[in-house]
Amino acid sequence: MNTEYNPSELLICLASRIMEDGTTAFIGTGIPMLAASLAQQMHAPNLITVFEFGGTGAILEKLPLAVGDTRTFNKALHASGICDIMEAAQRGFIEYGFLGGAQIDAYGNLNSTAIGDVLKPNVRLPGSGGANDVGSCCWRTIAIMKHDKRRFMEKIDFITTPGFIDGSGAREAAGLPPNTGPYRVVTNLGVFDFEEKSKRMRLISLNPGVTVEEVKDNTGFEILIADNVEYNDPPSEEELKILREKVDPDGLYR
Amino acid sequence: MNTEYNPSELLICLASRIMEDGTTAFIGTGIPMLAASLAQQMHAPNLITVFEFGGTGAILEKLPLAVGDTRTFNKALHASGICDIMEAAQRGFIEYGFLGGAQIDAYGNLNSTAIGDVLKPNVRLPGSGGANDVGSCCWRTIAIMKHDKRRFMEKIDFITTPGFIDGSGAREAAGLPPNTGPYRVVTNLGVFDFEEKSKRMRLISLNPGVTVEEVKDNTGFEILIADNVEYNDPPSEEELKILREKVDPDGLYR
Amino acid sequence: MENSKSIPILYEGEGSLIQPIDLNAFRELNRKKNKKLESKLMTEEEAVDRFLKDGDYIGFELYGTVRAPMSLTRAIIRSGKTDFRLAGQGVHEVDLLLGANLIREIDFTYIGLEVFGVSGNVRRRVESGDVSNVVEWSNASLTWRFKAASMGIPFIATKCMLGSDTLRRSAAKVIECPFTGEKLALLPALILDVGFIHVNRADKYGNCQIDGISGFAFEMSRACKKLIISAEEIIDTDDIRKAPDRTIIPYYLVDGVVHAPFASWPGEMSNAHEKDVDHYNMYLEKQKTEVGMNEYLKEWVYDLPNHQALLDKIGTTKLKSLRI
Amino acid sequence: MENSKSIPILYEGEGSLIQPIDLNAFRELNRKKNKKLESKLMTEEEAVDRFLKDGDYIGFELYGTVRAPMSLTRAIIRSGKTDFRLAGQGVHEVDLLLGANLIREIDFTYIGLEVFGVSGNVRRRVESGDVSNVVEWSNASLTWRFKAASMGIPFIATKCMLGSDTLRRSAAKVIECPFTGEKLALLPALILDVGFIHVNRADKYGNCQIDGISGFAFEMSRACKKLIISAEEIIDTDDIRKAPDRTIIPYYLVDGVVHAPFASWPGEMSNAHEKDVDHYNMYLEKQKTEVGMNEYLKEWVYDLPNHQALLDKIGTTKLKSLRI
């Protein structure tokens, strides 16, 4: 088998490895879906997928192309609606949530609403969708981003989805549920967590071939660096095999 | 056919005649159910029955014995739950509601909670159940009562379900939806409405053989008397036939 | 924008909040609930033993003698556990618990015998003070309190209860709406310590289907710290997966699954069996007096070890005659 | 008890309330809705002609390219009616309406092309100011706004949106909970002038069934002044009565019923047909430019008189290949 991998395959494997077994993940279309499916087949057989418009515990025989897709409730345990899912999240039932966006800051706040002034935007983006809800109510959110200075910014144009807002205690002060918030950021350069005290983004592991300098150069804010930055393993042969042959055999996301 | 009738049969016929076609009625167990079923077969084929725990538009082939009974959703158009029904009422979808109680006052307020002090009751009654909701949200409520001075009181011990509270404008002042409230009271003595200005109970028609004096003597508050008090027709042969042969052929409520 | 406006609280019910609202603790508990597909099959006795404790705030669904989780109710009475607080929207199951004198506080909406009127057990326990605290609600209000909990929010607004003594003896608060200026009653969320629901069918993990009306099963199942399900029938998870839109209670809400055919006896169960009218009529007589009720409880609850023993006592002929 | 306490309003979103809340008017309207079992079958054109007018606040269910009421959307565009205000949780149907430049104000949560990214139509209409007012919400918040209306109450509380610019640009209000002291965002009820939903099957009166996930059909259908349904299949009322627990939208909510197989084309419909990927890919190219979008609208909307003409143009072979 070809063990070379493309950037998406790396992101999928990194995101997949983060998710623990025996819990729930709120899944958006694209990489999170592939990552969850891969995790189910690698180390987390009891990771339950939850889709925004009502599908819980589907068997992902064919990869969904949208969060309301028929495949999101294929042989599912429960097919309900968006309120049931969002209320389950608000009640604390959903562990992981995946997020993306056009801009992110050091506190993990995300912008998917507008570039420039929201009232007269340079670019009108698709909006919050479920992102704000996921970022408000899931216990641990994982952002998957392309890493460059235009995206990793000191000050983003609009906080669509709250991360740690402006630091420790800010989520709680705003009224968000305690002990929730950004958990990891996965990018083409590495994996990041948020330092306990400052709640600022911190590099914890680098992707194969990437340097700390490269991360700094591509980040528009001062990025923290963990004491022991590790290197992420590249996708293993087993991961690639499952990903290509079982998770996405039709290559929908390749 | 025997055209003699018992007191229940009279109440059923009186209540039945009040309901118009083409609308909805929130039905409790017992007389309201029989009245609605009779109305459907006499003059209101499009009277839609709604039961508290979720049945809408059932075909009442067998008479239900309880508001959560399987028969309340027999061949129904919709079987949902109590929230859906109560929210439909709160949105204004339910025209008629039936009520009962141990005590009623001149403004149609009803007590089904306790005789005496509610904190140390002489008799603990079954409580509001859906009565308060029906009395709050349905457009027109019809109370069916046994008529005597212990029940028709100047001051009832507890307002379980609001009627006109203490007169004109009081419902609106309390925050209840406008243009709702008691519509008719049907008793073994006659039928009553509520005078437009004072919102006090008023005799509008007497049951066969009953006199105005009898009504006054059995009412614990000053009862208004309409200018032209009519006599209610006794149950017709057709009504009795349908009631006995189609509505309640097993005589469950006889 | 920040501002210094406020919403007037126009009125506060005198009733106490029998069960405190702690949505953050509820979140933590829901986070820890088992999400694995592991069998939760157990007996009524095991479920009551593991998940219920003295003083718990409990609740039952549905209403009347229909789809009531009676086999679990009888197991509770036999367990010796007591001093419960209760969401009082019930008929037969709550009547037995009151008869056995296990209830101390009630959020009351309706406890009675429907067409048969006032319950002797309710009268004896409430009038004597055995039940020491009663707070009043309407059916919709109590269900919306579950709904608030099921949504993970501390209250829901309503137009019900306004202008009544039911409101006065509740723990609702009346405010002026900040959007419309109208008056509204705010109903505090109600989270059960343990909830009990009987369903038509479930798999061993607790994915449940209910036929016909669903009462308040959706809302209540999502408002429980612990949830015990009894099911007329246990089915394969494959059958759940064939019709996922029929699942009304997903497994991750459930702590115990009990296989209990005829669980609602002497009441009825949609698509399964009719009401045992003879037995119920006998019960109606018995519950009128304390002595009668005690005799009833001895014969039909205490003297039987479990649900199977009850079914044996009722007898196959009778049970068959009730089958739909 | 009466008192002089109050709840502080800590924060108010700057966004405007695009659609006013009048629950009493909604009650009056719901009271007058036809409760008779009378056929409401009509064409898309007739439904749009009778129930929609310029400037109406409209909304569509579901989301993405799945079960979208596209045949009704195309009829709206052809009708010449315009200047709509919109609940912006949509993809393909809203994209067409924006392309046709019929939308002036949006309660925005998500309008985009999902995995395919930002929509050219959204960018052109919002950045140019053709859409003159945009108010921000999250998916859950917008749905809970429908839910509030469906419950007949003016707001629902939530923990979502707090601490974000989404909140700042919304019309929500943040209060301190009178029961728990925690901060909550209050979401104002949202009542649609006209709602559009596509379902798997309906009877001629408008009793509707949906297979699989139900998105926000339950809530939205109960939050409409007028509701137009299109259905893949029209079935007998007897079949509705055989499984009343499958009815998700009862007839009395519905004003028009349109029989429209393949209504969601080029999107997919659960249990009926797959997505037309070829056509959708072509669309993705077209929508990138104003010229392309206009060409698309001319060929696939304006130049066709009705849904049947569209199906004829797609052709039986293609349609058959999409059938599940």
Side-chain angles (χ1 to χ4, degrees), chain B residues 166-186:
Chain B
D166 59 4
S168 188
R171 282 180 70 88
E172 290 74 8
L176 292 164
N179 305 319
T180 55
Y183 175 63
R184 292 288 185 271
V185 180
V186 177

PDB file of all heavy atoms in Angstrom, chain B residues 166-186:
ATOM      1  N   ASP B 166     -62.363  38.078  39.318  1.00  0.00           N
ATOM      2  CA  ASP B 166     -63.302  38.885  40.084  1.00  0.00           C
ATOM      3  C   ASP B 166     -64.033  39.887  39.201  1.00  0.00           C
ATOM      4  O   ASP B 166     -64.461  40.938  39.669  1.00  0.00           O
ATOM      5  CB  ASP B 166     -62.623  39.557  41.281  1.00  0.00           C
ATOM      6  CG  ASP B 166     -61.479  40.455  40.845  1.00  0.00           C
ATOM      7  OD1 ASP B 166     -61.266  40.621  39.626  1.00  0.00           O
ATOM      8  OD2 ASP B 166     -60.785  40.994  41.724  1.00  0.00           O
ATOM      9  N   GLY B 167     -64.137  39.555  37.924  1.00  0.00           N
ATOM     10  CA  GLY B 167     -64.973  40.407  37.074  1.00  0.00           C
ATOM     11  C   GLY B 167     -64.297  40.820  35.783  1.00  0.00           C
ATOM     12  O   GLY B 167     -63.228  40.317  35.431  1.00  0.00           O
ATOM     13  N   SER B 168     -64.931  41.737  35.108  1.00  0.00           N
ATOM     14  CA  SER B 168     -64.494  42.160  33.781  1.00  0.00           C
ATOM     15  C   SER B 168     -63.054  42.672  33.793  1.00  0.00           C
ATOM     16  O   SER B 168     -62.676  43.452  34.661  1.00  0.00           O
ATOM     17  CB  SER B 168     -65.424  43.261  33.278  1.00  0.00           C
ATOM     18  OG  SER B 168     -65.122  43.553  31.946  1.00  0.00           O
ATOM     19  N   GLY B 169     -62.252  42.193  32.841  1.00  0.00           N
ATOM     20  CA  GLY B 169     -60.864  42.662  32.724  1.00  0.00           C
ATOM     21  C   GLY B 169     -59.888  41.936  33.622  1.00  0.00           C
ATOM     22  O   GLY B 169     -58.677  42.089  33.472  1.00  0.00           O
ATOM     23  N   ALA B 170     -60.401  41.140  34.575  1.00  0.00           N
ATOM     24  CA  ALA B 170     -59.501  40.518  35.560  1.00  0.00           C
ATOM     25  C   ALA B 170     -58.605  39.456  34.922  1.00  0.00           C
ATOM     26  O   ALA B 170     -57.437  39.318  35.288  1.00  0.00           O
ATOM     27  CB  ALA B 170     -60.307  39.909  36.703  1.00  0.00           C
ATOM     28  N   ARG B 171     -59.136  38.692  33.968  1.00  0.00           N
ATOM     29  CA  ARG B 171     -58.305  37.687  33.293  1.00  0.00           C
ATOM     30  C   ARG B 171     -57.139  38.358  32.567  1.00  0.00           C
ATOM     31  O   ARG B 171     -55.986  37.936  32.699  1.00  0.00           O
ATOM     32  CB  ARG B 171     -59.121  36.868  32.282  1.00  0.00           C
ATOM     33  CG  ARG B 171     -59.993  35.792  32.903  1.00  0.00           C
ATOM     34  CD  ARG B 171     -60.774  35.037  31.830  1.00  0.00           C
ATOM     35  NE  ARG B 171     -59.955  34.181  30.995  1.00  0.00           N
ATOM     36  CZ  ARG B 171     -59.659  32.909  31.285  1.00  0.00           C
ATOM     37  NH1 ARG B 171     -60.118  32.352  32.389  1.00  0.00           N
ATOM     38  NH2 ARG B 171     -58.913  32.196  30.463  1.00  0.00           N
ATOM     39  N   GLU B 172     -57.459  39.405  31.811  1.00  0.00           N
ATOM     40  CA  GLU B 172     -56.420  40.112  31.065  1.00  0.00           C
ATOM     41  C   GLU B 172     -55.398  40.711  32.031  1.00  0.00           C
ATOM     42  O   GLU B 172     -54.191  40.650  31.790  1.00  0.00           O
ATOM     43  CB  GLU B 172     -57.041  41.193  30.172  1.00  0.00           C
ATOM     44  CG  GLU B 172     -57.836  40.663  28.984  1.00  0.00           C
ATOM     45  CD  GLU B 172     -59.202  40.060  29.341  1.00  0.00           C
ATOM     46  OE1 GLU B 172     -59.631  40.187  30.511  1.00  0.00           O
ATOM     47  OE2 GLU B 172     -59.834  39.458  28.453  1.00  0.00           O
ATOM     48  N   ALA B 173     -55.884  41.292  33.129  1.00  0.00           N
ATOM     49  CA  ALA B 173     -54.969  41.893  34.110  1.00  0.00           C
ATOM     50  C   ALA B 173     -54.048  40.841  34.712  1.00  0.00           C
ATOM     51  O   ALA B 173     -52.890  41.116  35.024  1.00  0.00           O
ATOM     52  CB  ALA B 173     -55.766  42.595  35.210  1.00  0.00           C
ATOM     53  N   ALA B 174     -54.550  39.623  34.866  1.00  0.00           N
ATOM     54  CA  ALA B 174     -53.720  38.546  35.420  1.00  0.00           C
ATOM     55  C   ALA B 174     -52.717  38.030  34.384  1.00  0.00           C
ATOM     56  O   ALA B 174     -51.781  37.316  34.730  1.00  0.00           O
ATOM     57  CB  ALA B 174     -54.600  37.397  35.896  1.00  0.00           C
ATOM     58  N   GLY B 175     -52.921  38.383  33.110  1.00  0.00           N
ATOM     59  CA  GLY B 175     -52.002  37.938  32.068  1.00  0.00           C
ATOM     60  C   GLY B 175     -52.538  36.820  31.205  1.00  0.00           C
ATOM     61  O   GLY B 175     -51.843  36.338  30.313  1.00  0.00           O
ATOM     62  N   LEU B 176     -53.780  36.389  31.468  1.00  0.00           N
ATOM     63  CA  LEU B 176     -54.348  35.311  30.651  1.00  0.00           C
ATOM     64  C   LEU B 176     -54.656  35.819  29.242  1.00  0.00           C
ATOM     65  O   LEU B 176     -54.855  37.020  29.042  1.00  0.00           O
ATOM     66  CB  LEU B 176     -55.612  34.769  31.331  1.00  0.00           C
ATOM     67  CG  LEU B 176     -55.334  34.017  32.637  1.00  0.00           C
ATOM     68  CD1 LEU B 176     -56.615  33.840  33.449  1.00  0.00           C
ATOM     69  CD2 LEU B 176     -54.684  32.665  32.353  1.00  0.00           C
ATOM     70  N   PRO B 177     -54.687  34.922  28.258  1.00  0.00           N
ATOM     71  CA  PRO B 177     -54.923  35.368  26.878  1.00  0.00           C
ATOM     72  C   PRO B 177     -56.278  36.058  26.744  1.00  0.00           C
ATOM     73  O   PRO B 177     -57.269  35.610  27.331  1.00  0.00           O
ATOM     74  CB  PRO B 177     -54.908  34.060  26.076  1.00  0.00           C
ATOM     75  CG  PRO B 177     -54.167  33.081  26.921  1.00  0.00           C
ATOM     76  CD  PRO B 177     -54.450  33.471  28.342  1.00  0.00           C
ATOM     77  N   PRO B 178     -56.338  37.144  25.966  1.00  0.00           N
ATOM     78  CA  PRO B 178     -57.589  37.897  25.813  1.00  0.00           C
ATOM     79  C   PRO B 178     -58.695  37.065  25.169  1.00  0.00           C
ATOM     80  O   PRO B 178     -58.417  36.133  24.414  1.00  0.00           O
ATOM     81  CB  PRO B 178     -57.210  39.061  24.880  1.00  0.00           C
ATOM     82  CG  PRO B 178     -55.749  39.032  24.714  1.00  0.00           C
ATOM     83  CD  PRO B 178     -55.230  37.728  25.209  1.00  0.00           C
ATOM     84  N   ASN B 179     -59.921  37.453  25.450  1.00  0.00           N
ATOM     85  CA  ASN B 179     -61.117  36.856  24.827  1.00  0.00           C
ATOM     86  C   ASN B 179     -61.314  35.381  25.142  1.00  0.00           C
ATOM     87  O   ASN B 179     -61.966  34.661  24.400  1.00  0.00           O
ATOM     88  CB  ASN B 179     -61.110  37.049  23.307  1.00  0.00           C
ATOM     89  CG  ASN B 179     -60.956  38.503  22.938  1.00  0.00           C
ATOM     90  OD1 ASN B 179     -61.559  39.367  23.576  1.00  0.00           O
ATOM     91  ND2 ASN B 179     -60.139  38.785  21.946  1.00  0.00           N
ATOM     92  N   THR B 180     -60.720  34.937  26.227  1.00  0.00           N
ATOM     93  CA  THR B 180     -60.932  33.558  26.664  1.00  0.00           C
ATOM     94  C   THR B 180     -61.758  33.581  27.943  1.00  0.00           C
ATOM     95  O   THR B 180     -61.933  34.632  28.553  1.00  0.00           O
ATOM     96  CB  THR B 180     -59.589  32.875  26.987  1.00  0.00           C
ATOM     97  OG1 THR B 180     -58.890  33.662  27.956  1.00  0.00           O
ATOM     98  CG2 THR B 180     -58.736  32.739  25.739  1.00  0.00           C
ATOM     99  N   GLY B 181     -62.232  32.409  28.346  1.00  0.00           N
ATOM    100  CA  GLY B 181     -62.896  32.329  29.647  1.00  0.00           C
ATOM    101  C   GLY B 181     -64.138  31.475  29.620  1.00  0.00           C
ATOM    102  O   GLY B 181     -64.468  30.855  28.606  1.00  0.00           O
ATOM    103  N   PRO B 182     -64.837  31.447  30.742  1.00  0.00           N
ATOM    104  CA  PRO B 182     -66.037  30.616  30.850  1.00  0.00           C
ATOM    105  C   PRO B 182     -67.071  31.030  29.817  1.00  0.00           C
ATOM    106  O   PRO B 182     -67.291  32.221  29.580  1.00  0.00           O
ATOM    107  CB  PRO B 182     -66.538  30.899  32.269  1.00  0.00           C
ATOM    108  CG  PRO B 182     -65.337  31.330  33.028  1.00  0.00           C
ATOM    109  CD  PRO B 182     -64.496  32.067  32.033  1.00  0.00           C
ATOM    110  N   TYR B 183     -67.698  30.020  29.223  1.00  0.00           N
ATOM    111  CA  TYR B 183     -68.680  30.268  28.170  1.00  0.00           C
ATOM    112  C   TYR B 183     -70.057  29.805  28.621  1.00  0.00           C
ATOM    113  O   TYR B 183     -71.026  30.555  28.556  1.00  0.00           O
ATOM    114  CB  TYR B 183     -68.212  29.532  26.918  1.00  0.00           C
ATOM    115  CG  TYR B 183     -69.158  29.581  25.755  1.00  0.00           C
ATOM    116  CD1 TYR B 183     -69.482  30.796  25.149  1.00  0.00           C
ATOM    117  CD2 TYR B 183     -69.705  28.407  25.233  1.00  0.00           C
ATOM    118  CE1 TYR B 183     -70.340  30.840  24.062  1.00  0.00           C
ATOM    119  CE2 TYR B 183     -70.568  28.442  24.147  1.00  0.00           C
ATOM    120  CZ  TYR B 183     -70.890  29.660  23.564  1.00  0.00           C
ATOM    121  OH  TYR B 183     -71.744  29.698  22.506  1.00  0.00           O
ATOM    122  N   ARG B 184     -70.124  28.590  29.104  1.00  0.00           N
ATOM    123  CA  ARG B 184     -71.389  28.068  29.588  1.00  0.00           C
ATOM    124  C   ARG B 184     -71.149  27.222  30.843  1.00  0.00           C
ATOM    125  O   ARG B 184     -70.079  26.637  31.007  1.00  0.00           O
ATOM    126  CB  ARG B 184     -72.037  27.142  28.555  1.00  0.00           C
ATOM    127  CG  ARG B 184     -72.524  27.833  27.290  1.00  0.00           C
ATOM    128  CD  ARG B 184     -73.785  28.674  27.547  1.00  0.00           C
ATOM    129  NE  ARG B 184     -74.303  29.220  26.296  1.00  0.00           N
ATOM    130  CZ  ARG B 184     -73.924  30.386  25.771  1.00  0.00           C
ATOM    131  NH1 ARG B 184     -73.015  31.145  26.385  1.00  0.00           N
ATOM    132  NH2 ARG B 184     -74.460  30.808  24.624  1.00  0.00           N
ATOM    133  N   VAL B 185     -72.167  27.169  31.690  1.00  0.00           N
ATOM    134  CA  VAL B 185     -72.202  26.196  32.776  1.00  0.00           C
ATOM    135  C   VAL B 185     -73.453  25.351  32.550  1.00  0.00           C
ATOM    136  O   VAL B 185     -74.539  25.910  32.322  1.00  0.00           O
ATOM    137  CB  VAL B 185     -72.239  26.868  34.162  1.00  0.00           C
ATOM    138  CG1 VAL B 185     -72.262  25.824  35.274  1.00  0.00           C
ATOM    139  CG2 VAL B 185     -71.040  27.798  34.339  1.00  0.00           C
ATOM    140  N   VAL B 186     -73.278  24.063  32.535  1.00  0.00           N
ATOM    141  CA  VAL B 186     -74.399  23.147  32.300  1.00  0.00           C
ATOM    142  C   VAL B 186     -74.620  22.362  33.583  1.00  0.00           C
ATOM    143  O   VAL B 186     -73.685  21.742  34.099  1.00  0.00           O
ATOM    144  CB  VAL B 186     -74.084  22.189  31.139  1.00  0.00           C
ATOM    145  CG1 VAL B 186     -75.205  21.185  30.948  1.00  0.00           C
ATOM    146  CG2 VAL B 186     -73.826  22.965  29.847  1.00  0.00           C
TER     147      VAL B 186
END
